[in-house]
Coordinates of all heavy atoms in Angstrom, one line a residue:
Y1 N -50.1 -13.4 -4.6 CA -50.3 -13.6 -6.1 C -51.4 -12.8 -6.7 O -51.7 -13.0 -7.9 CB -50.5 -15.1 -6.4 CG -49.3 -16.0 -6.0 CD1 -49.3 -16.7 -4.8 CD2 -48.2 -16.0 -6.8 CE1 -48.2 -17.5 -4.5 CE2 -47.1 -16.8 -6.5 CZ -47.1 -17.5 -5.3 OH -46.1 -18.3 -5.0
S2 N -52.0 -12.0 -5.9 CA -53.2 -11.3 -6.4 C -52.9 -10.4 -7.6 O -53.7 -10.2 -8.5 CB -53.9 -10.5 -5.3 OG -53.0 -9.6 -4.7
R3 N -51.7 -9.8 -7.6 CA -51.3 -8.9 -8.7 C -51.2 -9.7 -10.0 O -51.6 -9.3 -11.0 CB -50.0 -8.2 -8.4 CG -50.2 -7.0 -7.5 CD -49.0 -6.2 -7.5 NE -48.7 -5.7 -6.1 CZ -47.6 -5.2 -5.7 NH1 -46.6 -5.0 -6.5 NH2 -47.5 -4.8 -4.5
L4 N -50.5 -10.9 -9.9 CA -50.4 -11.7 -11.0 C -51.7 -12.2 -11.6 O -51.9 -12.2 -12.8 CB -49.5 -12.9 -10.7 CG -49.3 -14.0 -11.8 CD1 -48.6 -13.4 -13.0 CD2 -48.5 -15.2 -11.3
I5 N -52.6 -12.6 -10.7 CA -53.9 -13.0 -11.1 C -54.7 -11.9 -11.8 O -55.3 -12.1 -12.8 CB -54.7 -13.6 -9.9 CG1 -54.1 -14.8 -9.3 CG2 -56.2 -13.8 -10.2 CD1 -54.6 -15.3 -8.0
A6 N -54.6 -10.7 -11.3 CA -55.2 -9.6 -12.0 C -54.5 -9.3 -13.3 O -55.2 -9.0 -14.3 CB -55.1 -8.3 -11.1
W7 N -53.2 -9.4 -13.4 CA -52.5 -9.1 -14.6 C -52.9 -10.1 -15.7 O -53.0 -9.7 -16.9 CB -51.0 -9.2 -14.4 CG -50.2 -8.9 -15.6 CD1 -49.9 -7.7 -16.1 CD2 -49.5 -9.8 -16.4 NE1 -49.1 -7.8 -17.2 CE2 -48.8 -9.1 -17.4 CE3 -49.3 -11.2 -16.4 CZ2 -48.1 -9.7 -18.4 CZ3 -48.6 -11.8 -17.3 CH2 -48.0 -11.1 -18.3
I8 N -53.1 -11.4 -15.4 CA -53.4 -12.4 -16.4 C -54.9 -12.4 -16.7 O -55.4 -13.1 -17.5 CB -52.9 -13.8 -16.1 CG1 -53.6 -14.3 -14.8 CG2 -51.4 -13.9 -16.0 CD1 -53.3 -15.8 -14.6
Q9 N -55.7 -11.6 -15.9 CA -57.1 -11.4 -16.1 C -57.8 -12.8 -15.9 O -58.7 -13.1 -16.7 CB -57.5 -10.8 -17.4 CG -56.9 -9.4 -17.6 CD -57.2 -8.8 -19.0 OE1 -57.6 -9.5 -19.9 NE2 -56.9 -7.5 -19.1
A10 N -57.5 -13.5 -14.8 CA -58.1 -14.7 -14.5 C -59.5 -14.5 -14.1 O -59.8 -13.6 -13.4 CB -57.3 -15.4 -13.4
T11 N -60.4 -15.4 -14.5 CA -61.8 -15.3 -14.1 C -62.0 -16.1 -12.8 O -61.5 -17.2 -12.7 CB -62.7 -16.0 -15.2 OG1 -62.5 -15.4 -16.4 CG2 -64.1 -16.0 -14.8
P12 N -62.6 -15.4 -11.8 CA -62.8 -16.1 -10.5 C -63.7 -17.3 -10.8 O -64.7 -17.3 -11.6 CB -63.6 -15.1 -9.7 CG -63.2 -13.8 -10.3 CD -63.0 -14.0 -11.8
L13 N -63.4 -18.4 -10.0 CA -64.3 -19.6 -10.2 C -65.7 -19.4 -9.9 O -66.6 -20.0 -10.6 CB -63.7 -20.7 -9.3 CG -62.4 -21.4 -9.7 CD1 -62.0 -22.3 -8.6 CD2 -62.6 -22.1 -11.0
A14 N -66.0 -18.5 -9.0 CA -67.4 -18.2 -8.6 C -68.2 -17.6 -9.8 O -69.4 -17.8 -9.9 CB -67.5 -17.2 -7.5
T15 N -67.5 -17.0 -10.8 CA -68.3 -16.4 -11.9 C -67.9 -17.2 -13.2 O -68.5 -16.9 -14.3 CB -67.9 -14.9 -12.1 OG1 -66.5 -14.8 -12.3 CG2 -68.4 -14.1 -10.9
A16 N -67.0 -18.1 -13.2 CA -66.6 -18.8 -14.4 C -67.8 -19.6 -15.1 O -67.9 -19.7 -16.3 CB -65.5 -19.8 -14.2
R17 N -68.7 -20.1 -14.2 CA -69.9 -20.9 -14.8 C -70.8 -20.0 -15.6 O -71.5 -20.5 -16.5 CB -70.6 -21.5 -13.6 CG -69.9 -22.6 -13.0 CD -70.7 -23.3 -11.8 NE -69.9 -24.3 -11.2 CZ -69.2 -24.1 -10.1 NH1 -69.1 -22.9 -9.6 NH2 -68.5 -25.0 -9.5
E18 N -70.8 -18.7 -15.4 CA -71.7 -17.8 -16.1 C -71.2 -17.6 -17.5 O -71.9 -17.1 -18.4 CB -71.7 -16.4 -15.4 CG -72.3 -16.5 -14.0 CD -72.0 -15.2 -13.2 OE1 -71.5 -14.2 -13.8 OE2 -72.3 -15.2 -12.0
K19 N -70.0 -18.0 -17.8 CA -69.4 -17.8 -19.1 C -69.4 -19.1 -20.0 O -68.4 -19.5 -20.5 CB -67.9 -17.3 -19.0 CG -67.9 -16.0 -18.2 CD -66.5 -15.4 -18.2 CE -66.4 -14.2 -17.4 NZ -66.7 -13.0 -18.1
K20 N -70.6 -19.6 -20.0 CA -70.8 -20.9 -20.7 C -70.3 -20.8 -22.2 O -70.5 -19.8 -22.9 CB -72.3 -21.2 -20.8 CG -72.8 -21.6 -19.4 CD -74.3 -22.0 -19.5 CE -74.8 -22.2 -18.1 NZ -74.9 -23.5 -17.7
E21 N -69.6 -21.8 -22.5 CA -69.0 -22.0 -23.9 C -68.1 -20.9 -24.3 O -67.9 -20.6 -25.5 CB -70.1 -22.2 -24.9 CG -70.9 -23.5 -24.6 CD -71.9 -23.8 -25.7 OE1 -71.7 -23.5 -26.8 OE2 -72.9 -24.5 -25.3
Q22 N -67.5 -20.1 -23.4 CA -66.5 -19.1 -23.7 C -65.2 -19.5 -23.0 O -65.3 -20.0 -21.8 CB -67.0 -17.8 -23.1 CG -68.2 -17.2 -23.7 CD -68.6 -15.8 -23.1 OE1 -67.8 -15.3 -22.3 NE2 -69.7 -15.3 -23.4
P23 N -64.1 -19.4 -23.6 CA -62.9 -19.7 -23.0 C -62.6 -18.8 -21.8 O -62.9 -17.6 -21.9 CB -61.8 -19.5 -24.1 CG -62.5 -19.1 -25.3 CD -63.9 -18.9 -25.0
V24 N -62.1 -19.3 -20.7 CA -61.7 -18.5 -19.6 C -60.4 -19.0 -19.1 O -59.9 -20.1 -19.3 CB -62.7 -18.6 -18.4 CG1 -64.1 -18.1 -18.8 CG2 -62.9 -20.1 -17.9
I25 N -59.7 -18.0 -18.4 CA -58.4 -18.4 -17.7 C -58.8 -18.4 -16.2 O -59.4 -17.5 -15.7 CB -57.4 -17.3 -18.0 CG1 -57.0 -17.2 -19.5 CG2 -56.1 -17.5 -17.1 CD1 -56.1 -16.1 -19.9
I26 N -58.4 -19.5 -15.6 CA -58.6 -19.6 -14.2 C -57.3 -19.8 -13.5 O -56.3 -20.3 -14.1 CB -59.6 -20.8 -13.8 CG1 -59.1 -22.1 -14.3 CG2 -61.0 -20.5 -14.3 CD1 -59.9 -23.3 -13.8
C27 N -57.2 -19.4 -12.3 CA -56.0 -19.5 -11.5 C -56.3 -19.9 -10.1 O -57.1 -19.2 -9.4 CB -55.3 -18.1 -11.5 SG -53.7 -18.1 -10.7
G28 N -55.8 -21.0 -9.6 CA -56.1 -21.5 -8.3 C -55.2 -22.6 -7.9 O -54.2 -22.9 -8.6
L29 N -55.4 -23.1 -6.7 CA -54.6 -24.2 -6.2 C -55.3 -25.5 -6.5 O -56.5 -25.7 -6.4 CB -54.5 -24.1 -4.6 CG -53.9 -22.8 -4.1 CD1 -54.0 -22.7 -2.6 CD2 -52.4 -22.8 -4.5
V30 N -54.5 -26.5 -6.9 CA -55.0 -27.8 -7.2 C -55.2 -28.5 -5.9 O -54.2 -28.7 -5.1 CB -54.0 -28.6 -8.2 CG1 -54.5 -30.0 -8.3 CG2 -53.9 -27.9 -9.5
Q31 N -56.4 -29.0 -5.6 CA -56.7 -29.7 -4.4 C -56.5 -31.2 -4.6 O -56.1 -31.9 -3.7 CB -58.1 -29.4 -3.9 CG -58.3 -27.9 -3.5 CD -57.4 -27.5 -2.4 OE1 -57.2 -28.3 -1.4 NE2 -56.8 -26.3 -2.5
S32 N -56.9 -31.7 -5.8 CA -56.8 -33.1 -6.0 C -56.8 -33.4 -7.5 O -57.3 -32.6 -8.3 CB -57.9 -33.9 -5.3 OG -59.1 -33.6 -5.9
I33 N -56.2 -34.5 -7.9 CA -56.2 -35.0 -9.3 C -56.6 -36.4 -9.3 O -56.0 -37.2 -8.6 CB -54.8 -34.8 -9.9 CG1 -54.3 -33.4 -9.9 CG2 -54.8 -35.4 -11.3 CD1 -52.9 -33.2 -10.3
K34 N -57.6 -36.7 -10.1 CA -58.0 -38.1 -10.3 C -57.8 -38.5 -11.7 O -58.5 -38.0 -12.6 CB -59.5 -38.3 -9.9 CG -60.0 -39.7 -10.1 CD -61.4 -39.8 -9.7 CE -61.9 -41.3 -9.9 NZ -63.3 -41.4 -9.6
E35 N -56.8 -39.3 -12.0 CA -56.5 -39.8 -13.4 C -57.3 -41.0 -13.6 O -57.4 -41.9 -12.8 CB -55.0 -40.0 -13.5 CG -54.6 -40.4 -14.9 CD -53.1 -40.6 -15.1 OE1 -52.7 -41.6 -14.7 OE2 -52.5 -39.7 -15.6
I36 N -57.9 -41.0 -14.8 CA -58.7 -42.2 -15.2 C -58.2 -42.7 -16.6 O -57.5 -41.9 -17.3 CB -60.2 -42.0 -15.2 CG1 -60.6 -40.9 -16.3 CG2 -60.7 -41.6 -13.9 CD1 -62.0 -40.9 -16.7
T37 N -58.6 -43.9 -17.0 CA -58.3 -44.4 -18.3 C -59.7 -44.5 -19.0 O -60.6 -45.1 -18.5 CB -57.7 -45.8 -18.3 OG1 -56.4 -45.6 -17.5 CG2 -57.3 -46.3 -19.7
T38 N -59.8 -43.9 -20.2 CA -61.0 -43.9 -21.0 C -61.2 -45.3 -21.6 O -60.3 -46.2 -21.6 CB -61.0 -42.9 -22.2 OG1 -60.0 -43.3 -23.1 CG2 -60.7 -41.5 -21.6
K39 N -62.4 -45.5 -22.2 CA -62.7 -46.8 -22.9 C -61.7 -47.1 -24.0 O -61.4 -48.2 -24.4 CB -64.1 -46.8 -23.4 CG -65.1 -46.9 -22.3 CD -66.5 -46.9 -22.9 CE -67.6 -46.9 -21.8 NZ -68.9 -46.8 -22.3
K40 N -61.2 -46.0 -24.6 CA -60.2 -46.1 -25.7 C -58.8 -46.4 -25.2 O -57.8 -46.5 -25.9 CB -60.2 -44.9 -26.6 CG -61.5 -44.7 -27.3 CD -61.4 -43.5 -28.2 CE -62.6 -43.3 -29.0 NZ -62.5 -42.1 -29.9
G41 N -58.6 -46.4 -23.8 CA -57.3 -46.7 -23.3 C -56.4 -45.4 -23.1 O -55.2 -45.5 -22.8
E42 N -57.0 -44.2 -23.2 CA -56.3 -43.0 -23.1 C -56.4 -42.5 -21.7 O -57.5 -42.6 -21.0 CB -56.8 -42.0 -24.1 CG -56.6 -42.4 -25.5 CD -57.2 -41.3 -26.5 OE1 -58.4 -41.1 -26.4 OE2 -56.4 -40.8 -27.2
K43 N -55.4 -41.8 -21.2 CA -55.4 -41.2 -19.8 C -56.1 -39.8 -19.9 O -55.8 -39.1 -20.9 CB -54.0 -41.1 -19.3 CG -53.3 -42.4 -19.1 CD -53.7 -43.1 -17.9 CE -52.8 -44.3 -17.7 NZ -53.2 -45.1 -16.6
M44 N -56.9 -39.5 -18.9 CA -57.4 -38.1 -18.8 C -57.5 -37.9 -17.3 O -57.2 -38.8 -16.5 CB -58.7 -37.9 -19.5 CG -59.9 -38.8 -19.0 SD -61.4 -38.5 -19.9 CE -62.0 -37.0 -19.2
A45 N -57.9 -36.7 -16.9 CA -58.0 -36.4 -15.4 C -59.1 -35.4 -15.1 O -59.6 -34.6 -15.9 CB -56.7 -35.8 -15.0
F46 N -59.5 -35.6 -13.8 CA -60.5 -34.7 -13.2 C -59.7 -33.9 -12.1 O -59.1 -34.6 -11.2 CB -61.7 -35.4 -12.6 CG -62.5 -36.1 -13.6 CD1 -62.2 -37.4 -14.0 CD2 -63.6 -35.4 -14.2 CE1 -63.0 -38.0 -14.9 CE2 -64.3 -36.1 -15.2 CZ -64.1 -37.4 -15.5
V47 N -59.7 -32.6 -12.1 CA -58.8 -31.8 -11.2 C -59.7 -30.9 -10.4 O -60.5 -30.1 -11.0 CB -57.8 -31.0 -12.0 CG1 -56.9 -30.2 -11.1 CG2 -57.0 -31.9 -12.9
M48 N -59.6 -31.0 -9.1 CA -60.4 -30.1 -8.2 C -59.5 -28.9 -8.0 O -58.3 -29.0 -7.6 CB -60.7 -30.7 -6.9 CG -61.8 -31.8 -7.0 SD -63.4 -31.2 -7.6 CE -63.8 -30.0 -6.4
I49 N -60.0 -27.7 -8.2 CA -59.3 -26.4 -8.1 C -60.0 -25.5 -7.1 O -61.2 -25.4 -7.1 CB -59.1 -25.8 -9.5 CG1 -58.4 -26.7 -10.5 CG2 -58.4 -24.4 -9.4 CD1 -58.4 -26.2 -11.9
E50 N -59.2 -24.7 -6.4 CA -59.8 -23.8 -5.4 C -59.1 -22.4 -5.6 O -57.9 -22.3 -5.8 CB -59.6 -24.3 -4.0 CG -60.0 -23.3 -2.9 CD -59.7 -23.8 -1.5 OE1 -59.2 -24.9 -1.4 OE2 -60.0 -23.1 -0.6
D51 N -60.0 -21.4 -5.7 CA -59.4 -20.0 -5.7 C -60.0 -19.3 -4.5 O -60.6 -19.9 -3.6 CB -59.6 -19.3 -7.0 CG -61.0 -18.9 -7.3 OD1 -61.9 -19.1 -6.4 OD2 -61.3 -18.3 -8.4
Q52 N -59.8 -18.0 -4.5 CA -60.3 -17.2 -3.3 C -61.8 -17.0 -3.3 O -62.4 -16.6 -2.3 CB -59.7 -15.8 -3.4 CG -58.2 -15.8 -3.2 CD -57.6 -14.4 -3.5 OE1 -58.1 -13.6 -4.1 NE2 -56.4 -14.2 -2.9
T53 N -62.5 -17.5 -4.3 CA -64.0 -17.3 -4.4 C -64.8 -18.6 -4.3 O -65.9 -18.5 -4.0 CB -64.4 -16.5 -5.7 OG1 -64.0 -17.3 -6.8 CG2 -63.6 -15.2 -5.8
S54 N -64.2 -19.7 -4.8 CA -65.0 -20.9 -4.9 C -64.0 -22.1 -5.1 O -62.8 -22.0 -5.2 CB -66.0 -20.8 -6.0 OG -66.9 -21.9 -6.0
T55 N -64.7 -23.3 -5.3 CA -63.9 -24.5 -5.8 C -64.7 -25.0 -7.0 O -65.8 -24.7 -7.2 CB -63.9 -25.6 -4.7 OG1 -65.2 -25.9 -4.4 CG2 -63.2 -25.1 -3.5
G56 N -63.9 -25.7 -7.8 CA -64.6 -26.3 -9.0 C -63.7 -27.4 -9.6 O -62.6 -27.6 -9.1
E57 N -64.4 -28.1 -10.5 CA -63.7 -29.3 -11.1 C -63.4 -28.9 -12.5 O -64.3 -28.4 -13.3 CB -64.6 -30.5 -11.0 CG -63.9 -31.7 -11.6 CD -64.8 -33.0 -11.4 OE1 -65.9 -33.0 -11.9 OE2 -64.4 -33.9 -10.7
A58 N -62.2 -29.2 -12.9 CA -61.8 -29.1 -14.3 C -61.6 -30.5 -14.9 O -61.0 -31.4 -14.3 CB -60.5 -28.3 -14.5
I59 N -62.0 -30.7 -16.1 CA -61.8 -31.9 -16.8 C -60.7 -31.7 -17.8 O -60.8 -30.8 -18.7 CB -63.1 -32.4 -17.5 CG1 -64.2 -32.6 -16.5 CG2 -62.9 -33.7 -18.3 CD1 -65.6 -32.8 -17.1
I60 N -59.7 -32.5 -17.7 CA -58.6 -32.4 -18.7 C -58.7 -33.6 -19.6 O -58.4 -34.8 -19.2 CB -57.2 -32.5 -17.9 CG1 -57.2 -31.5 -16.7 CG2 -56.1 -32.2 -18.9 CD1 -57.4 -30.1 -17.0
F61 N -59.0 -33.4 -20.8 CA -59.2 -34.4 -21.8 C -57.9 -35.0 -22.3 O -56.9 -34.4 -22.1 CB -60.1 -33.9 -23.0 CG -61.5 -33.6 -22.5 CD1 -61.9 -32.3 -22.3 CD2 -62.4 -34.6 -22.4 CE1 -63.2 -32.0 -21.9 CE2 -63.7 -34.3 -21.9 CZ -64.1 -33.0 -21.7
P62 N -58.0 -36.2 -22.9 CA -56.7 -37.0 -23.2 C -55.6 -36.2 -23.9 O -54.5 -36.2 -23.6 CB -57.2 -38.2 -24.0 CG -58.6 -38.4 -23.5 CD -59.1 -37.0 -23.2
K63 N -56.0 -35.5 -25.0 CA -55.0 -34.7 -25.8 C -54.3 -33.7 -24.9 O -53.1 -33.6 -24.9 CB -55.7 -34.1 -26.9 CG -54.7 -33.4 -27.9 CD -55.5 -32.8 -29.1 CE -54.6 -32.0 -30.0 NZ -55.3 -31.4 -31.1
A64 N -55.0 -32.9 -24.1 CA -54.4 -31.9 -23.2 C -53.6 -32.6 -22.1 O -52.5 -32.2 -21.7 CB -55.5 -31.0 -22.6
W65 N -54.1 -33.7 -21.6 CA -53.5 -34.4 -20.5 C -52.1 -35.0 -20.9 O -51.1 -34.9 -20.2 CB -54.4 -35.6 -19.9 CG -53.9 -36.2 -18.7 CD1 -53.5 -37.5 -18.5 CD2 -53.6 -35.5 -17.4 NE1 -53.1 -37.7 -17.2 CE2 -53.2 -36.5 -16.5 CE3 -53.8 -34.2 -16.9 CZ2 -52.8 -36.2 -15.2 CZ3 -53.5 -34.0 -15.6 CH2 -53.0 -34.9 -14.8
R66 N -52.0 -35.5 -22.2 CA -50.7 -35.9 -22.7 C -49.7 -34.8 -22.8 O -48.5 -35.0 -22.5 CB -50.9 -36.5 -24.1 CG -51.5 -37.9 -24.1 CD -51.4 -38.6 -25.5 NE -52.1 -37.8 -26.6 CZ -53.4 -38.0 -26.9 NH1 -54.1 -38.8 -26.2 NH2 -53.9 -37.3 -27.9
R67 N -50.2 -33.6 -23.1 CA -49.2 -32.5 -23.2 C -48.8 -32.0 -21.8 O -47.7 -31.5 -21.6 CB -49.9 -31.2 -23.8 CG -50.1 -31.4 -25.3 CD -50.6 -30.1 -25.9 NE -51.8 -29.7 -25.3 CZ -52.8 -29.1 -25.8 NH1 -52.8 -28.9 -27.1 NH2 -53.9 -28.7 -25.1
L68 N -49.6 -32.3 -20.8 CA -49.3 -31.8 -19.4 C -48.4 -32.8 -18.6 O -47.8 -32.5 -17.6 CB -50.5 -31.5 -18.6 CG -51.4 -30.3 -19.1 CD1 -52.7 -30.3 -18.4 CD2 -50.6 -29.0 -18.9
T69 N -48.5 -34.1 -19.0 CA -47.8 -35.1 -18.3 C -46.6 -35.6 -19.0 O -46.3 -35.3 -20.1 CB -48.7 -36.3 -17.9 OG1 -49.2 -36.9 -19.2 CG2 -49.9 -35.9 -17.1

């Protein structure tokens, strides 16, 4: 998949943290998903992602989680 990752210009997880408050595209394997319910009763999730450079956690907020599930 390295050609596809290069084509979509995905940011490696190892350098994604350097781009604070800038949108980035990441591409990796989902290692785990932890779905929780907020105090308002909405579902959201914490997703562990791994690419060729590092691992990281993505937070999927309720509005986005509703679109994905």
Side-chain angles (χ1 to χ4, degrees):
Y1 297 100
S2 58
R3 283 193 218 167
L4 177 60
I5 293 168
W7 182 76
I8 64 171
Q9 299 178 348
T11 302
L13 287 173
T15 60
R17 290 180 184 93
E18 298 169 5
K19 301 184 182 275
K20 294 183 185 258
E21 298 187 29
Q22 294 178 10
V24 294
I25 296 171
I26 58 172
C27 184
L29 298 174
V30 173
Q31 297 298 320
S32 65
I33 299 172
K34 180 180 177 184
E35 186 178 76
I36 65 163
T37 303
T38 67
K39 290 180 182 177
K40 293 182 178 181
E42 299 177 297
K43 301 279 187 184
M44 64 180 285
F46 296 90
V47 181
M48 288 300 298
I49 301 172
E50 178 182 356
D51 71 3
Q52 296 173 337
T53 65
S54 187
T55 60
E57 183 176 61
I59 302 170
I60 314 297
F61 292 102
K63 184 177 179 182
W65 190 241
R66 281 192 301 273
R67 288 187 305 217
L68 294 170
T69 58

